[in-house]
Amino acid sequence: MTPGARVQAAIELLDQIIAAAHEGGAAADTIVQRYFATRRYAGSKDRRAVRELVFAAIRACGEAPATGRAALLLLARDDNALAAAFDGSAHGPAPIAEDEPVAVAGSAPAWLVERMHAADLNDTEIAALIARAPLDVRVNRLVTTVEAIEAEIPGAAHIEGLPDALRLPAGSDVAPFAGRIEVQDAGSQIVSAATRAEPGMTVIDLCAGAGGKTLALAAAMQNTGRIIAADTDRARLGKLKPRADAAEVTIAEPVLLDPGREFEALTEWRGAADVVLIDAPCSGTGTWRRNPEARWRLTPDRLARLVETQRRLLQVGAGLVKPDGALVYVVCSLLDEEGAEQIDAFRARHPRWHAAPLVLPAGRARGAGVRLTPAHDDTDGFFVARLSAPC
């Protein structure tokens, strides 16, 4: 592909990604994969170059741009080679016209920047949310050792405070290690540790999704005890069994829930769980490093609905914890209404529950919990709190 053809491909992809953000369509990564699946003429270098251009444009635009062309024109202002690729060639974009609309640079939509400032995040910390993320993995201690994986992957480095974690060089091929390692951000591993899961426990992973934290819990429990992996998303939950089989995890029991009627399917475990983990649906503001276009999808109305869902799931989870057990609440968000304020509201409704102290290898206190941020902790953004049930 010529430089112009690469830029035109990026424009087409950005147009699709912008439309998907407005309409609740596929994620950017999925759109890119689909695009090149029908364009076999594009070589690996072309695909990589176009993808990097697309995601550079996404990260540069705080608000969703009007068009893909406007997004790339923002980058072209500071990149003469990119500007020259707007050459009007057969497969390239039209030349740049005077006074042509250009996207506005920024870290996030203005209303979200305001909310983050209210949560005591400065502009540098907000900008760090859209930096490139590292490649972190959790080594599955059930089938291998950190030393064995470290010896097989050049450049693998330990992550301080996480004995099962390694940070791999960008682009490392992890496919051959299925079952032996799981791609999992260091922050996700840290908040999983807040459960203090031990062998023999009964643990409920209330929003298990595809099972990333379920598998981490199973390893911590030495594959002894019982984990109820529950979720309302059949497709995501369906991914757990093959992952568990590869990881040689036998204690995870998938349970499909009906949205809004979660407790009905879990009555067998009412007041029986040593720990309930609620990795709640959230805005995902802490994961923009991996999904930067997600900040274009969020609206105040959607945020309000998520906050209500989190409130309801906390109620469900509280009913499943045995006396003196623990409820661990996690969101990959840095907004206080989803984190510290959500826990304050729960404690106001349930004054006999108290916030347990958390000793974690990273993070800073935020309200009754701990907050991790990319800028301070070099992890995705999370809020986690541990609540102890009354005896």
Side-chain angles (χ1 to χ4, degrees):
M1 298 174 72
T2 65
R6 286 178 173 179
V7 172
Q8 183 58 36
I11 289 172
E12 293 170 7
L13 278 165
L14 284 164
D15 283 337
Q16 293 181 36
I17 291 165
I18 294 164
H22 290 309
E23 299 164 6
D29 268 328
T30 301
I31 290 171
V32 172
Q33 290 171 5
R34 290 174 181 170
Y35 182 89
F36 284 116
T38 61
R39 292 163 173 81
R40 299 294 184 183
Y41 57 82
S44 60
K45 290 184 178 179
D46 293 321
R47 294 194 298 271
R48 188 180 308 112
V50 172
R51 188 183 189 282
E52 289 179 356
L53 194 54
V54 165
F55 278 91
I58 292 172
R59 288 188 169 90
C61 303
E63 305 277 354
T67 65
R69 183 179 173 92
L72 284 182
L73 288 177
L74 174 63
L75 298 184
R77 282 182 166 179
D78 300 314
D79 187 333
N80 292 333
L82 178 58
F86 286 79
D87 57 7
S89 58
H91 299 288
I96 301 171
E98 289 186 17
D99 301 323
E100 190 170 348
V102 178
V104 178
S107 298
W111 73 274
L112 273 172
V113 171
E114 183 179 342
R115 299 283 181 102
M116 290 182 173
H117 285 162
D120 296 327
L121 293 168
N122 60 40
D123 290 337
T124 299
E125 290 171 311
I126 296 171
L129 294 174
I130 53 173
R132 290 179 179 270
L135 176 55
D136 297 341
V137 300
R138 178 184 60 80
V139 177
N140 180 12
R141 69 176 76 167
L142 298 178
V143 299
T144 190
T145 65
V146 169
E147 291 74 20
I149 299 298
E150 190 178 16
E152 294 182 53
I153 303 180
H158 291 270
I159 299 176
E160 186 176 356
L162 292 173
D164 297 332
L166 291 172
R167 179 157 290 172
L168 307 185
S172 295
D173 183 10
V174 298
F177 300 90
R180 299 173 64 199
I181 65 174
E182 292 285 338
V183 176
Q184 189 174 44
D185 178 73
S188 183
Q189 297 183 55
I190 289 167
V191 298
S192 295
T195 62
R196 302 174 195 165
E198 297 180 357
M201 281 185 170
T202 295
V203 178
I204 298 177
D205 188 353
L206 190 56
C207 305
K213 290 185 177 64
T214 296
L215 299 181
L217 293 170
M221 295 165 65
Q222 299 175 24
N223 209 25
T224 302
R226 194 178 189 187
I227 302 175
I228 310 305
D231 205 274
T232 60
D233 189 323
R234 182 185 297 273
R236 294 188 70 203
L237 192 61
K239 297 176 182 178
L240 172 58
K241 187 178 187 308
R243 293 178 70 188
D245 289 346
E248 299 185 16
V249 168
T250 59
I251 63 171
E253 305 172 33
V255 176
L256 184 65
L257 307 177
D258 288 332
R261 302 174 63 185
E262 291 88 353
F263 196 70
E264 294 178 23
L266 296 168
T267 52
E268 176 185 346
W269 297 282
R270 181 174 181 176
D274 294 285
V275 179
V276 173
L277 171 63
I278 303 177
D279 185 9
C282 69
S283 63
T285 53
T287 63
W288 286 349
R289 300 193 303 176
R290 303 174 194 282
N291 306 288
E293 85 282 4
R295 67 203 203 281
W296 299 344
R297 296 171 179 263
L298 192 61
T299 65
D301 286 346
R302 182 164 182 262
L303 177 59
R305 291 193 297 271
L306 288 166
V307 169
E308 175 56 27
T309 297
Q310 294 155 7
R311 185 202 64 78
R312 182 173 53 76
L313 289 172
L314 278 165
Q315 294 296 114
V316 172
L320 301 170
V321 180
K322 73 178 188 182
D324 206 28
L327 181 65
V328 177
Y329 174 77
V330 175
V331 283
C332 49
S333 170
L334 299 180
L335 301 177
D336 278 343
E337 51 260 71
E338 297 184 276
E341 292 175 7
Q342 187 71 267
I343 294 303
D344 286 346
F346 175 87
R347 294 172 68 201
R349 296 191 302 270
H350 302 275
R352 295 183 62 204
W353 289 68
H354 67 272
L358 284 172
V359 179
L360 300 175
R364 290 172 288 181
R366 185 70 182 173
V370 170
R371 185 169 72 181
L372 293 88
T373 69
H376 183 266
D377 305 296
D378 198 17
T379 67
D380 285 350
F382 284 94
F383 172 86
V384 57
R386 181 184 174 96
L387 300 166
S388 294
C391 296

